[in-house]
Amino acid sequence: MMDLRAATIDDAQTLLGIYGPYVVTNAVSFESAPPTLDDMKARLEAAGDTHPWIVGFDSETGVVLGYAFAKPLRPGPAYRFAVETACYIAGEEGQGHRRTLYGALLATLTAQNYTQAISTLTMPQDKAIQLHEALGFKRAGFYREVSYKNGQWIDVGMWQRELAEPGKTPDEPLPFSQVGVVRS
């Protein structure tokens, strides 16, 4: 069974081990080389107490099975209510770990008062699209041939999920430490 907790700097090497294969084996990641350990630590530190990084681990062995995180959508205070989201799983999917992690991330972001979650997906990715749509995301846009990786141009789709009632004046986002990991 998978349990969830907030990621820490001490998880950086493990998270890098999960993420690295995505970078080098396919076009899912927009990076051309895996980040360094220092890069991964910097990403965790940059999230601070505003943007959650959630680790899923085997409750019996403690082995990390994957992680999900949010980061600012764009710089600037007007964008403070919207986040970009991602989720990476170690090994082959099939146990529902990605859905569990992503669901917890979305529930946590909702509890923090974020209003919109955006995910960018390299295309085509039928399974990723199915997952996002099952979690309430809707297709929000499409960029044609904007990413170049592995010798080919790649289209990028955007999926968006409302986390709050549209049109309502939002409350300011709460710190992750105040909300903690919320299971969906």
Side-chain angles (χ1 to χ4, degrees):
M1 179 167 156
M2 185 167 71
D3 204 354
L4 304 171
R5 64 173 171 77
T8 69
I9 295 295
D10 293 337
D11 292 313
Q13 184 67 55
T14 301
L15 302 185
L16 183 57
I18 293 169
Y19 179 62
Y22 284 92
V23 176
V24 298
T25 62
N26 59 50
V28 170
S29 164
F30 296 102
E31 298 186 74
S32 56
T36 66
L37 179 57
D38 286 340
D39 292 338
M40 187 60 80
K41 287 180 180 179
R43 292 173 190 189
L44 285 158
E45 288 172 348
D49 199 22
T50 56
H51 294 86
W53 282 59
I54 300 172
V55 168
F57 63 97
D58 184 290
S59 55
E60 292 180 16
T61 65
V63 172
V64 174
L65 304 169
Y67 68 101
F69 68 94
K71 62 183 181 180
L73 177 64
R74 300 260 187 277
Y79 288 104
R80 71 187 177 279
F81 299 104
V83 296
E84 186 173 353
T85 60
C87 182
Y88 296 96
I89 300 297
E92 295 293 317
E93 179 62 36
Q95 313 238 326
H97 297 321
R98 188 180 314 270
R99 187 180 183 116
T100 299
L101 270 165
Y102 221 140
L105 177 65
L106 295 170
T108 300
L109 292 166
T110 301
Q112 285 184 269
N113 297 326
Y114 286 104
T115 62
Q116 301 290 329
I118 310 293
S119 183
T120 54
L121 303 173
T122 57
M123 306 303 294
Q125 270 199 81
D126 292 341
K127 286 183 181 181
I129 291 169
Q130 289 170 0
L131 171 68
H132 281 80
E133 290 179 352
L135 291 170
F137 283 82
K138 294 182 175 141
R139 186 174 173 167
F142 188 82
Y143 293 117
R144 190 174 167 278
E145 296 183 354
V146 295
S147 178
Y148 188 80
K149 187 172 178 180
N150 299 335
Q152 64 181 349
W153 285 104
I154 301 165
D155 298 336
V156 176
M158 293 178 298
W159 269 255
Q160 181 173 351
R161 183 180 189 272
E162 292 178 346
L163 301 173
E165 185 179 327
K168 178 184 165 207
T169 302
D171 292 327
E172 288 298 318
L174 298 171
F176 180 37
S177 61
Q178 183 176 335
V179 172
V181 175
V182 179
R183 288 191 83 97
S184 60

mmCIF file with all atom_site columns, all heavy atoms in Angstrom, residues 154-178:
data_model
loop_
_atom_site.group_PDB
_atom_site.id
_atom_site.type_symbol
_atom_site.label_atom_id
_atom_site.label_alt_id
_atom_site.label_comp_id
_atom_site.label_asym_id
_atom_site.label_entity_id
_atom_site.label_seq_id
_atom_site.pdbx_PDB_ins_code
_atom_site.Cartn_x
_atom_site.Cartn_y
_atom_site.Cartn_z
_atom_site.occupancy
_atom_site.B_iso_or_equiv
_atom_site.pdbx_formal_charge
_atom_site.auth_seq_id
_atom_site.auth_comp_id
_atom_site.auth_asym_id
_atom_site.auth_atom_id
_atom_site.pdbx_PDB_model_num
ATOM 1   N N   . ILE A 1 154 ? 7.988   18.315 -31.226 1.00 0.00 ? 154 ILE A N   1
ATOM 2   C CA  . ILE A 1 154 ? 6.948   17.732 -30.386 1.00 0.00 ? 154 ILE A CA  1
ATOM 3   C C   . ILE A 1 154 ? 5.876   18.786 -30.117 1.00 0.00 ? 154 ILE A C   1
ATOM 4   O O   . ILE A 1 154 ? 6.179   19.930 -29.778 1.00 0.00 ? 154 ILE A O   1
ATOM 5   C CB  . ILE A 1 154 ? 7.547   17.239 -29.049 1.00 0.00 ? 154 ILE A CB  1
ATOM 6   C CG1 . ILE A 1 154 ? 8.629   16.187 -29.340 1.00 0.00 ? 154 ILE A CG1 1
ATOM 7   C CG2 . ILE A 1 154 ? 6.466   16.702 -28.128 1.00 0.00 ? 154 ILE A CG2 1
ATOM 8   C CD1 . ILE A 1 154 ? 9.525   15.900 -28.172 1.00 0.00 ? 154 ILE A CD1 1
ATOM 9   N N   . ASP A 1 155 ? 4.626   18.370 -30.270 1.00 0.00 ? 155 ASP A N   1
ATOM 10  C CA  . ASP A 1 155 ? 3.499   19.222 -29.922 1.00 0.00 ? 155 ASP A CA  1
ATOM 11  C C   . ASP A 1 155 ? 3.284   19.159 -28.409 1.00 0.00 ? 155 ASP A C   1
ATOM 12  O O   . ASP A 1 155 ? 3.601   18.158 -27.763 1.00 0.00 ? 155 ASP A O   1
ATOM 13  C CB  . ASP A 1 155 ? 2.222   18.738 -30.620 1.00 0.00 ? 155 ASP A CB  1
ATOM 14  C CG  . ASP A 1 155 ? 2.325   18.801 -32.131 1.00 0.00 ? 155 ASP A CG  1
ATOM 15  O OD1 . ASP A 1 155 ? 3.136   19.588 -32.652 1.00 0.00 ? 155 ASP A OD1 1
ATOM 16  O OD2 . ASP A 1 155 ? 1.579   18.055 -32.792 1.00 0.00 ? 155 ASP A OD2 1
ATOM 17  N N   . VAL A 1 156 ? 2.729   20.226 -27.871 1.00 0.00 ? 156 VAL A N   1
ATOM 18  C CA  . VAL A 1 156 ? 2.474   20.300 -26.435 1.00 0.00 ? 156 VAL A CA  1
ATOM 19  C C   . VAL A 1 156 ? 1.025   20.705 -26.214 1.00 0.00 ? 156 VAL A C   1
ATOM 20  O O   . VAL A 1 156 ? 0.549   21.691 -26.785 1.00 0.00 ? 156 VAL A O   1
ATOM 21  C CB  . VAL A 1 156 ? 3.422   21.327 -25.761 1.00 0.00 ? 156 VAL A CB  1
ATOM 22  C CG1 . VAL A 1 156 ? 3.082   21.484 -24.282 1.00 0.00 ? 156 VAL A CG1 1
ATOM 23  C CG2 . VAL A 1 156 ? 4.873   20.898 -25.931 1.00 0.00 ? 156 VAL A CG2 1
ATOM 24  N N   . GLY A 1 157 ? 0.340   19.921 -25.392 1.00 0.00 ? 157 GLY A N   1
ATOM 25  C CA  . GLY A 1 157 ? -1.039  20.232 -25.023 1.00 0.00 ? 157 GLY A CA  1
ATOM 26  C C   . GLY A 1 157 ? -1.093  20.719 -23.590 1.00 0.00 ? 157 GLY A C   1
ATOM 27  O O   . GLY A 1 157 ? -0.249  20.371 -22.765 1.00 0.00 ? 157 GLY A O   1
ATOM 28  N N   . MET A 1 158 ? -2.076  21.542 -23.315 1.00 0.00 ? 158 MET A N   1
ATOM 29  C CA  . MET A 1 158 ? -2.284  22.045 -21.958 1.00 0.00 ? 158 MET A CA  1
ATOM 30  C C   . MET A 1 158 ? -3.639  21.570 -21.455 1.00 0.00 ? 158 MET A C   1
ATOM 31  O O   . MET A 1 158 ? -4.639  21.653 -22.173 1.00 0.00 ? 158 MET A O   1
ATOM 32  C CB  . MET A 1 158 ? -2.228  23.567 -21.933 1.00 0.00 ? 158 MET A CB  1
ATOM 33  C CG  . MET A 1 158 ? -0.861  24.120 -22.241 1.00 0.00 ? 158 MET A CG  1
ATOM 34  S SD  . MET A 1 158 ? -0.861  25.918 -22.261 1.00 0.00 ? 158 MET A SD  1
ATOM 35  C CE  . MET A 1 158 ? -1.980  26.244 -23.598 1.00 0.00 ? 158 MET A CE  1
ATOM 36  N N   . TRP A 1 159 ? -3.649  21.076 -20.235 1.00 0.00 ? 159 TRP A N   1
ATOM 37  C CA  . TRP A 1 159 ? -4.883  20.663 -19.575 1.00 0.00 ? 159 TRP A CA  1
ATOM 38  C C   . TRP A 1 159 ? -5.034  21.499 -18.317 1.00 0.00 ? 159 TRP A C   1
ATOM 39  O O   . TRP A 1 159 ? -4.056  21.784 -17.628 1.00 0.00 ? 159 TRP A O   1
ATOM 40  C CB  . TRP A 1 159 ? -4.831  19.167 -19.249 1.00 0.00 ? 159 TRP A CB  1
ATOM 41  C CG  . TRP A 1 159 ? -5.390  18.351 -20.358 1.00 0.00 ? 159 TRP A CG  1
ATOM 42  C CD1 . TRP A 1 159 ? -6.608  17.729 -20.364 1.00 0.00 ? 159 TRP A CD1 1
ATOM 43  C CD2 . TRP A 1 159 ? -4.799  18.075 -21.636 1.00 0.00 ? 159 TRP A CD2 1
ATOM 44  N NE1 . TRP A 1 159 ? -6.810  17.096 -21.564 1.00 0.00 ? 159 TRP A NE1 1
ATOM 45  C CE2 . TRP A 1 159 ? -5.709  17.296 -22.368 1.00 0.00 ? 159 TRP A CE2 1
ATOM 46  C CE3 . TRP A 1 159 ? -3.603  18.429 -22.242 1.00 0.00 ? 159 TRP A CE3 1
ATOM 47  C CZ2 . TRP A 1 159 ? -5.463  16.853 -23.651 1.00 0.00 ? 159 TRP A CZ2 1
ATOM 48  C CZ3 . TRP A 1 159 ? -3.350  17.987 -23.531 1.00 0.00 ? 159 TRP A CZ3 1
ATOM 49  C CH2 . TRP A 1 159 ? -4.270  17.211 -24.219 1.00 0.00 ? 159 TRP A CH2 1
ATOM 50  N N   . GLN A 1 160 ? -6.266  21.901 -18.023 1.00 0.00 ? 160 GLN A N   1
ATOM 51  C CA  . GLN A 1 160 ? -6.539  22.803 -16.909 1.00 0.00 ? 160 GLN A CA  1
ATOM 52  C C   . GLN A 1 160 ? -7.653  22.225 -16.046 1.00 0.00 ? 160 GLN A C   1
ATOM 53  O O   . GLN A 1 160 ? -8.633  21.677 -16.557 1.00 0.00 ? 160 GLN A O   1
ATOM 54  C CB  . GLN A 1 160 ? -6.968  24.166 -17.465 1.00 0.00 ? 160 GLN A CB  1
ATOM 55  C CG  . GLN A 1 160 ? -7.268  25.199 -16.413 1.00 0.00 ? 160 GLN A CG  1
ATOM 56  C CD  . GLN A 1 160 ? -7.515  26.577 -17.035 1.00 0.00 ? 160 GLN A CD  1
ATOM 57  O OE1 . GLN A 1 160 ? -7.294  26.789 -18.222 1.00 0.00 ? 160 GLN A OE1 1
ATOM 58  N NE2 . GLN A 1 160 ? -7.960  27.500 -16.215 1.00 0.00 ? 160 GLN A NE2 1
ATOM 59  N N   . ARG A 1 161 ? -7.479  22.399 -14.732 1.00 0.00 ? 161 ARG A N   1
ATOM 60  C CA  . ARG A 1 161 ? -8.508  21.946 -13.786 1.00 0.00 ? 161 ARG A CA  1
ATOM 61  C C   . ARG A 1 161 ? -8.799  23.065 -12.811 1.00 0.00 ? 161 ARG A C   1
ATOM 62  O O   . ARG A 1 161 ? -7.883  23.614 -12.195 1.00 0.00 ? 161 ARG A O   1
ATOM 63  C CB  . ARG A 1 161 ? -8.031  20.718 -13.010 1.00 0.00 ? 161 ARG A CB  1
ATOM 64  C CG  . ARG A 1 161 ? -9.099  20.168 -12.062 1.00 0.00 ? 161 ARG A CG  1
ATOM 65  C CD  . ARG A 1 161 ? -8.560  18.962 -11.330 1.00 0.00 ? 161 ARG A CD  1
ATOM 66  N NE  . ARG A 1 161 ? -9.532  18.254 -10.571 1.00 0.00 ? 161 ARG A NE  1
ATOM 67  C CZ  . ARG A 1 161 ? -9.865  18.526 -9.304  1.00 0.00 ? 161 ARG A CZ  1
ATOM 68  N NH1 . ARG A 1 161 ? -9.330  19.548 -8.681  1.00 0.00 ? 161 ARG A NH1 1
ATOM 69  N NH2 . ARG A 1 161 ? -10.737 17.778 -8.667  1.00 0.00 ? 161 ARG A NH2 1
ATOM 70  N N   . GLU A 1 162 ? -10.069 23.387 -12.693 1.00 0.00 ? 162 GLU A N   1
ATOM 71  C CA  . GLU A 1 162 ? -10.475 24.371 -11.689 1.00 0.00 ? 162 GLU A CA  1
ATOM 72  C C   . GLU A 1 162 ? -10.373 23.732 -10.310 1.00 0.00 ? 162 GLU A C   1
ATOM 73  O O   . GLU A 1 162 ? -10.786 22.591 -10.122 1.00 0.00 ? 162 GLU A O   1
ATOM 74  C CB  . GLU A 1 162 ? -11.903 24.829 -11.941 1.00 0.00 ? 162 GLU A CB  1
ATOM 75  C CG  . GLU A 1 162 ? -12.053 25.652 -13.198 1.00 0.00 ? 162 GLU A CG  1
ATOM 76  C CD  . GLU A 1 162 ? -13.492 26.064 -13.473 1.00 0.00 ? 162 GLU A CD  1
ATOM 77  O OE1 . GLU A 1 162 ? -14.427 25.513 -12.849 1.00 0.00 ? 162 GLU A OE1 1
ATOM 78  O OE2 . GLU A 1 162 ? -13.675 26.936 -14.334 1.00 0.00 ? 162 GLU A OE2 1
ATOM 79  N N   . LEU A 1 163 ? -9.835  24.485 -9.382  1.00 0.00 ? 163 LEU A N   1
ATOM 80  C CA  . LEU A 1 163 ? -9.714  24.011 -8.005  1.00 0.00 ? 163 LEU A CA  1
ATOM 81  C C   . LEU A 1 163 ? -10.657 24.768 -7.071  1.00 0.00 ? 163 LEU A C   1
ATOM 82  O O   . LEU A 1 163 ? -10.765 24.431 -5.895  1.00 0.00 ? 163 LEU A O   1
ATOM 83  C CB  . LEU A 1 163 ? -8.270  24.185 -7.514  1.00 0.00 ? 163 LEU A CB  1
ATOM 84  C CG  . LEU A 1 163 ? -7.195  23.452 -8.323  1.00 0.00 ? 163 LEU A CG  1
ATOM 85  C CD1 . LEU A 1 163 ? -5.810  23.852 -7.840  1.00 0.00 ? 163 LEU A CD1 1
ATOM 86  C CD2 . LEU A 1 163 ? -7.393  21.947 -8.243  1.00 0.00 ? 163 LEU A CD2 1
ATOM 87  N N   . ALA A 1 164 ? -11.288 25.812 -7.600  1.00 0.00 ? 164 ALA A N   1
ATOM 88  C CA  . ALA A 1 164 ? -12.189 26.640 -6.809  1.00 0.00 ? 164 ALA A CA  1
ATOM 89  C C   . ALA A 1 164 ? -13.348 27.086 -7.688  1.00 0.00 ? 164 ALA A C   1
ATOM 90  O O   . ALA A 1 164 ? -13.288 26.984 -8.910  1.00 0.00 ? 164 ALA A O   1
ATOM 91  C CB  . ALA A 1 164 ? -11.433 27.861 -6.264  1.00 0.00 ? 164 ALA A CB  1
ATOM 92  N N   . GLU A 1 165 ? -14.362 27.592 -7.050  1.00 0.00 ? 165 GLU A N   1
ATOM 93  C CA  . GLU A 1 165 ? -15.521 28.088 -7.779  1.00 0.00 ? 165 GLU A CA  1
ATOM 94  C C   . GLU A 1 165 ? -15.117 29.259 -8.665  1.00 0.00 ? 165 GLU A C   1
ATOM 95  O O   . GLU A 1 165 ? -14.526 30.232 -8.189  1.00 0.00 ? 165 GLU A O   1
ATOM 96  C CB  . GLU A 1 165 ? -16.584 28.520 -6.773  1.00 0.00 ? 165 GLU A CB  1
ATOM 97  C CG  . GLU A 1 165 ? -17.887 28.933 -7.381  1.00 0.00 ? 165 GLU A CG  1
ATOM 98  C CD  . GLU A 1 165 ? -18.894 29.324 -6.318  1.00 0.00 ? 165 GLU A CD  1
ATOM 99  O OE1 . GLU A 1 165 ? -18.877 28.739 -5.224  1.00 0.00 ? 165 GLU A OE1 1
ATOM 100 O OE2 . GLU A 1 165 ? -19.694 30.227 -6.603  1.00 0.00 ? 165 GLU A OE2 1
ATOM 101 N N   . PRO A 1 166 ? -15.427 29.189 -9.959  1.00 0.00 ? 166 PRO A N   1
ATOM 102 C CA  . PRO A 1 166 ? -15.026 30.268 -10.857 1.00 0.00 ? 166 PRO A CA  1
ATOM 103 C C   . PRO A 1 166 ? -15.734 31.584 -10.520 1.00 0.00 ? 166 PRO A C   1
ATOM 104 O O   . PRO A 1 166 ? -16.872 31.585 -10.070 1.00 0.00 ? 166 PRO A O   1
ATOM 105 C CB  . PRO A 1 166 ? -15.437 29.771 -12.237 1.00 0.00 ? 166 PRO A CB  1
ATOM 106 C CG  . PRO A 1 166 ? -16.109 28.474 -12.070 1.00 0.00 ? 166 PRO A CG  1
ATOM 107 C CD  . PRO A 1 166 ? -16.125 28.113 -10.634 1.00 0.00 ? 166 PRO A CD  1
ATOM 108 N N   . GLY A 1 167 ? -15.028 32.674 -10.736 1.00 0.00 ? 167 GLY A N   1
ATOM 109 C CA  . GLY A 1 167 ? -15.603 33.992 -10.546 1.00 0.00 ? 167 GLY A CA  1
ATOM 110 C C   . GLY A 1 167 ? -15.605 34.494 -9.121  1.00 0.00 ? 167 GLY A C   1
ATOM 111 O O   . GLY A 1 167 ? -15.875 35.659 -8.864  1.00 0.00 ? 167 GLY A O   1
ATOM 112 N N   . LYS A 1 168 ? -15.310 33.635 -8.172  1.00 0.00 ? 168 LYS A N   1
ATOM 113 C CA  . LYS A 1 168 ? -15.306 34.024 -6.760  1.00 0.00 ? 168 LYS A CA  1
ATOM 114 C C   . LYS A 1 168 ? -13.954 34.655 -6.422  1.00 0.00 ? 168 LYS A C   1
ATOM 115 O O   . LYS A 1 168 ? -12.912 34.193 -6.881  1.00 0.00 ? 168 LYS A O   1
ATOM 116 C CB  . LYS A 1 168 ? -15.536 32.782 -5.902  1.00 0.00 ? 168 LYS A CB  1
ATOM 117 C CG  . LYS A 1 168 ? -15.517 33.030 -4.428  1.00 0.00 ? 168 LYS A CG  1
ATOM 118 C CD  . LYS A 1 168 ? -15.665 31.714 -3.660  1.00 0.00 ? 168 LYS A CD  1
ATOM 119 C CE  . LYS A 1 168 ? -15.269 31.949 -2.226  1.00 0.00 ? 168 LYS A CE  1
ATOM 120 N NZ  . LYS A 1 168 ? -14.779 30.777 -1.568  1.00 0.00 ? 168 LYS A NZ  1
ATOM 121 N N   . THR A 1 169 ? -13.951 35.705 -5.631  1.00 0.00 ? 169 THR A N   1
ATOM 122 C CA  . THR A 1 169 ? -12.701 36.299 -5.171  1.00 0.00 ? 169 THR A CA  1
ATOM 123 C C   . THR A 1 169 ? -11.994 35.295 -4.269  1.00 0.00 ? 169 THR A C   1
ATOM 124 O O   . THR A 1 169 ? -12.555 34.861 -3.258  1.00 0.00 ? 169 THR A O   1
ATOM 125 C CB  . THR A 1 169 ? -12.958 37.611 -4.398  1.00 0.00 ? 169 THR A CB  1
ATOM 126 O OG1 . THR A 1 169 ? -13.667 38.502 -5.255  1.00 0.00 ? 169 THR A OG1 1
ATOM 127 C CG2 . THR A 1 169 ? -11.656 38.247 -3.943  1.00 0.00 ? 169 THR A CG2 1
ATOM 128 N N   . PRO A 1 170 ? -10.781 34.898 -4.634  1.00 0.00 ? 170 PRO A N   1
ATOM 129 C CA  . PRO A 1 170 ? -10.104 33.847 -3.856  1.00 0.00 ? 170 PRO A CA  1
ATOM 130 C C   . PRO A 1 170 ? -9.477  34.361 -2.567  1.00 0.00 ? 170 PRO A C   1
ATOM 131 O O   . PRO A 1 170 ? -9.110  35.534 -2.460  1.00 0.00 ? 170 PRO A O   1
ATOM 132 C CB  . PRO A 1 170 ? -9.010  33.371 -4.816  1.00 0.00 ? 170 PRO A CB  1
ATOM 133 C CG  . PRO A 1 170 ? -8.711  34.568 -5.656  1.00 0.00 ? 170 PRO A CG  1
ATOM 134 C CD  . PRO A 1 170 ? -10.011 35.322 -5.798  1.00 0.00 ? 170 PRO A CD  1
ATOM 135 N N   . ASP A 1 171 ? -9.388  33.462 -1.607  1.00 0.00 ? 171 ASP A N   1
ATOM 136 C CA  . ASP A 1 171 ? -8.583  33.735 -0.418  1.00 0.00 ? 171 ASP A CA  1
ATOM 137 C C   . ASP A 1 171 ? -7.128  33.532 -0.802  1.00 0.00 ? 171 ASP A C   1
ATOM 138 O O   . ASP A 1 171 ? -6.815  32.767 -1.724  1.00 0.00 ? 171 ASP A O   1
ATOM 139 C CB  . ASP A 1 171 ? -8.961  32.776 0.722   1.00 0.00 ? 171 ASP A CB  1
ATOM 140 C CG  . ASP A 1 171 ? -10.366 33.032 1.243   1.00 0.00 ? 171 ASP A CG  1
ATOM 141 O OD1 . ASP A 1 171 ? -10.801 34.198 1.240   1.00 0.00 ? 171 ASP A OD1 1
ATOM 142 O OD2 . ASP A 1 171 ? -11.025 32.055 1.641   1.00 0.00 ? 171 ASP A OD2 1
ATOM 143 N N   . GLU A 1 172 ? -6.222  34.173 -0.105  1.00 0.00 ? 172 GLU A N   1
ATOM 144 C CA  . GLU A 1 172 ? -4.794  34.021 -0.384  1.00 0.00 ? 172 GLU A CA  1
ATOM 145 C C   . GLU A 1 172 ? -4.372  32.569 -0.143  1.00 0.00 ? 172 GLU A C   1
ATOM 146 O O   . GLU A 1 172 ? -4.897  31.905 0.762   1.00 0.00 ? 172 GLU A O   1
ATOM 147 C CB  . GLU A 1 172 ? -3.962  34.956 0.497   1.00 0.00 ? 172 GLU A CB  1
ATOM 148 C CG  . GLU A 1 172 ? -4.080  36.414 0.115   1.00 0.00 ? 172 GLU A CG  1
ATOM 149 C CD  . GLU A 1 172 ? -3.587  36.708 -1.306  1.00 0.00 ? 172 GLU A CD  1
ATOM 150 O OE1 . GLU A 1 172 ? -2.534  36.169 -1.710  1.00 0.00 ? 172 GLU A OE1 1
ATOM 151 O OE2 . GLU A 1 172 ? -4.265  37.475 -2.007  1.00 0.00 ? 172 GLU A OE2 1
ATOM 152 N N   . PRO A 1 173 ? -3.440  32.074 -0.960  1.00 0.00 ? 173 PRO A N   1
ATOM 153 C CA  . PRO A 1 173 ? -2.956  30.706 -0.754  1.00 0.00 ? 173 PRO A CA  1
ATOM 154 C C   . PRO A 1 173 ? -2.362  30.518 0.648   1.00 0.00 ? 173 PRO A C   1
ATOM 155 O O   . PRO A 1 173 ? -1.667  31.404 1.161   1.00 0.00 ? 173 PRO A O   1
ATOM 156 C CB  . PRO A 1 173 ? -1.881  30.544 -1.831  1.00 0.00 ? 173 PRO A CB  1
ATOM 157 C CG  . PRO A 1 173 ? -2.293  31.498 -2.909  1.00 0.00 ? 173 PRO A CG  1
ATOM 158 C CD  . PRO A 1 173 ? -2.863  32.680 -2.160  1.00 0.00 ? 173 PRO A CD  1
ATOM 159 N N   . LEU A 1 174 ? -2.672  29.382 1.229   1.00 0.00 ? 174 LEU A N   1
ATOM 160 C CA  . LEU A 1 174 ? -2.154  29.031 2.553   1.00 0.00 ? 174 LEU A CA  1
ATOM 161 C C   . LEU A 1 174 ? -0.828  28.296 2.415   1.00 0.00 ? 174 LEU A C   1
ATOM 162 O O   . LEU A 1 174 ? -0.583  27.614 1.417   1.00 0.00 ? 174 LEU A O   1
ATOM 163 C CB  . LEU A 1 174 ? -3.150  28.129 3.279   1.00 0.00 ? 174 LEU A CB  1
ATOM 164 C CG  . LEU A 1 174 ? -4.524  28.733 3.569   1.00 0.00 ? 174 LEU A CG  1
ATOM 165 C CD1 . LEU A 1 174 ? -5.475  27.661 4.096   1.00 0.00 ? 174 LEU A CD1 1
ATOM 166 C CD2 . LEU A 1 174 ? -4.396  29.886 4.553   1.00 0.00 ? 174 LEU A CD2 1
ATOM 167 N N   . PRO A 1 175 ? 0.021   28.375 3.433   1.00 0.00 ? 175 PRO A N   1
ATOM 168 C CA  . PRO A 1 175 ? 1.285   27.619 3.402   1.00 0.00 ? 175 PRO A CA  1
ATOM 169 C C   . PRO A 1 175 ? 1.015   26.111 3.390   1.00 0.00 ? 175 PRO A C   1
ATOM 170 O O   . PRO A 1 175 ? 0.074   25.624 4.020   1.00 0.00 ? 175 PRO A O   1
ATOM 171 C CB  . PRO A 1 175 ? 1.991   28.030 4.692   1.00 0.00 ? 175 PRO A CB  1
ATOM 172 C CG  . PRO A 1 175 ? 1.305   29.266 5.159   1.00 0.00 ? 175 PRO A CG  1
ATOM 173 C CD  . PRO A 1 175 ? -0.089  29.205 4.634   1.00 0.00 ? 175 PRO A CD  1
ATOM 174 N N   . PHE A 1 176 ? 1.871   25.389 2.688   1.00 0.00 ? 176 PHE A N   1
ATOM 175 C CA  . PHE A 1 176 ? 1.773   23.927 2.642   1.00 0.00 ? 176 PHE A CA  1
ATOM 176 C C   . PHE A 1 176 ? 1.882   23.342 4.042   1.00 0.00 ? 176 PHE A C   1
ATOM 177 O O   . PHE A 1 176 ? 1.171   22.404 4.395   1.00 0.00 ? 176 PHE A O   1
ATOM 178 C CB  . PHE A 1 176 ? 2.866   23.389 1.718   1.00 0.00 ? 176 PHE A CB  1
ATOM 179 C CG  . PHE A 1 176 ? 2.900   21.904 1.552   1.00 0.00 ? 176 PHE A CG  1
ATOM 180 C CD1 . PHE A 1 176 ? 1.759   21.127 1.502   1.00 0.00 ? 176 PHE A CD1 1
ATOM 181 C CD2 . PHE A 1 176 ? 4.118   21.250 1.443   1.00 0.00 ? 176 PHE A CD2 1
ATOM 182 C CE1 . PHE A 1 176 ? 1.794   19.745 1.343   1.00 0.00 ? 176 PHE A CE1 1
ATOM 183 C CE2 . PHE A 1 176 ? 4.175   19.871 1.275   1.00 0.00 ? 176 PHE A CE2 1
ATOM 184 C CZ  . PHE A 1 176 ? 3.020   19.121 1.236   1.00 0.00 ? 176 PHE A CZ  1
ATOM 185 N N   . SER A 1 177 ? 2.760   23.907 4.882   1.00 0.00 ? 177 SER A N   1
ATOM 186 C CA  . SER A 1 177 ? 2.936   23.387 6.239   1.00 0.00 ? 177 SER A CA  1
ATOM 187 C C   . SER A 1 177 ? 1.661   23.522 7.071   1.00 0.00 ? 177 SER A C   1
ATOM 188 O O   . SER A 1 177 ? 1.430   22.737 7.982   1.00 0.00 ? 177 SER A O   1
ATOM 189 C CB  . SER A 1 177 ? 4.084   24.104 6.944   1.00 0.00 ? 177 SER A CB  1
ATOM 190 O OG  . SER A 1 177 ? 3.820   25.481 7.050   1.00 0.00 ? 177 SER A OG  1
ATOM 191 N N   . GLN A 1 178 ? 0.819   24.483 6.760   1.00 0.00 ? 178 GLN A N   1
ATOM 192 C CA  . GLN A 1 178 ? -0.436  24.675 7.492   1.00 0.00 ? 178 GLN A CA  1
ATOM 193 C C   . GLN A 1 178 ? -1.486  23.649 7.058   1.00 0.00 ? 178 GLN A C   1
ATOM 194 O O   . GLN A 1 178 ? -2.277  23.188 7.860   1.00 0.00 ? 178 GLN A O   1
ATOM 195 C CB  . GLN A 1 178 ? -0.972  26.082 7.271   1.00 0.00 ? 178 GLN A CB  1
ATOM 196 C CG  . GLN A 1 178 ? -2.220  26.404 8.043   1.00 0.00 ? 178 GLN A CG  1
ATOM 197 C CD  . GLN A 1 178 ? -2.642  27.845 7.848   1.00 0.00 ? 178 GLN A CD  1
ATOM 198 O OE1 . GLN A 1 178 ? -1.859  28.722 7.551   1.00 0.00 ? 178 GLN A OE1 1
ATOM 199 N NE2 . GLN A 1 178 ? -3.933  28.090 8.028   1.00 0.00 ? 178 GLN A NE2 1
#
